[in-house]
Each structure stands twice: as C-alpha cells, then as structure tokens.
Amino acid sequence: MSEPPTTTRAWLRGRLVSAFPGQVVAAGWHSMVLETGEKDQRRLPLTTPCPSPAPPRHPPSRVPPTSSRS
C-alpha cells in the first residue's frame, strides 16, 4: 500500500504535513500541533476518523409511481 486509506488518521496527518510543512510543529496519534502565526499554537485533535459510507445491505426499495392529479 503506497498511501493509507482516506478514512484514517494516517492519511489526514500525511495530508496536513504535505499541505503545511512549515506550520506543523508536532504530529502524534491523537493530535497535531500547528503554528498559526498568532501568539499561541493550535492543537488539532485527531478523533476517530470519518467512517466511509457503508454500502446498502438491501437494494433500495422501489418508490411507487405518483398518481397524476386530474
């Protein structure tokens, strides 16, 4: 695997380091610390990654046709 799945913390950490190389002060399992240019640095918590949408278990139910109004 050359790149982690997009729903993981590893993917997010990698993207942030790539996008903001000069602003990432620390990167860990649970959070990242970013330099914002302000007085204080910003801690970004890395909570449970976003789950990918699960495929439907059953095919979508058929929607009955609407009756035309007369």
Side-chain angles (χ1 to χ4, degrees):
M1 177 183 303
S2 61
E3 189 170 318
T6 58
T7 57
T8 63
R9 295 176 199 185
W11 179 85
L12 179 57
R13 280 191 305 269
R15 294 292 296 215
L16 287 170
V17 169
S18 294
F20 307 103
Q23 292 177 277
V24 176
V25 176
W29 180 255
H30 296 289
S31 67
M32 293 186 72
V33 178
L34 304 172
E35 183 63 58
T36 62
E38 298 175 5
K39 180 182 174 186
D40 297 323
Q41 296 172 334
R42 184 72 56 156
R43 181 181 167 273
L44 175 67
L46 300 177
T47 57
T48 304
C50 299
S52 59
R57 292 183 177 192
H58 305 287
S61 58
R62 301 185 92 186
V63 177
T66 56
S67 60
S68 57
R69 293 184 173 178
S70 308

